[in-house]
Amino acid sequence: MPEQYGPTEQYPPSGPLAYPGNPPSGRGPLVTVLVVLAVLVVGGGTLWYLLGDDDEPSTTTGAALPTAPVEPDATTADPAGPTATTPAPASSADPRFVKAGQCVRNEGPAGGKPKLLITECAPRTYEVLRRFDGATSGERDAEAKCGKVEGYTNWYFFDSELDTLDFVLCLKQR
């Protein structure tokens, strides 16, 4: 017996038939997963960049300076006050511009990273006996260079990514 369709239908309905147990067609879930992954990747990358971003160039400074302030004793104190025996400091107080014969003082915290500033020579300052410009590899290099300088008591080095900015100062405490 031939199949019968509805009173107005002469042909079977066209298109895919839905059977029980067939997965829904469409790409909705796949698109959702891809969007979530993209947001996680972009957000994680942005967070990594912001937390890992360092605006300052990496530099290393070191010094063999006393951690406690040094009080002048009776043999070094001058009752008439400090006398300038060297040229006046350069217009900048930054130790990158200090020359041999000038003095610096440590403004860094006791036991912390030294912060040298060019100053007038006075008690409790450091006179620059010699300056070595050029690449330095750190403490051992500073000690080796200053070991050849007569009368030095302390050293200071600045080591940056750009070797032409590096320097070592051989200092004598006043």
Side-chain angles (χ1 to χ4, degrees), residues 46-141:
T46 302
L47 185 62
W48 177 76
Y49 174 77
L50 292 175
L51 293 178
D53 188 27
D54 193 5
D55 292 338
E56 298 177 10
S58 76
T59 58
T60 305
T61 58
L65 301 174
T67 56
V70 178
E71 297 296 326
D73 59 10
T75 60
T76 60
D78 184 2
T83 57
T85 58
T86 60
S91 60
S92 172
D94 192 319
R96 291 180 296 163
F97 306 110
V98 72
K99 299 173 185 163
Q102 291 182 307
C103 290
V104 293
R105 70 178 184 275
N106 183 11
E107 291 292 318
K113 186 176 179 181
K115 180 181 178 185
L116 298 184
L117 297 174
I118 299 174
T119 187
E120 294 291 328
C121 292
R124 297 181 8 200
T125 62
Y126 299 90
E127 180 181 354
V128 178
L129 298 178
R130 178 120 187 239
R131 178 186 175 108
F132 294 94
D133 289 309
T136 183
S137 58
E139 292 182 23
R140 287 187 178 178
D141 183 47

Side-chain angles (χ1 to χ4, degrees), residues 1 8 14 18 36-37 49 54 56 65 68 82 109 129 140 153 172:
M1 167 174 205
T8 58
S14 63
V36 168
L37 284 174
Y49 174 77
D54 193 5
E56 298 177 10
L65 301 174
L129 298 178
R140 287 187 178 178
T153 59
K172 178 182 179 182

Side-chain angles (χ1 to χ4, degrees), residues 25-33:
S25 65
R27 297 184 184 153
L30 178 62
V31 170
T32 303
V33 168

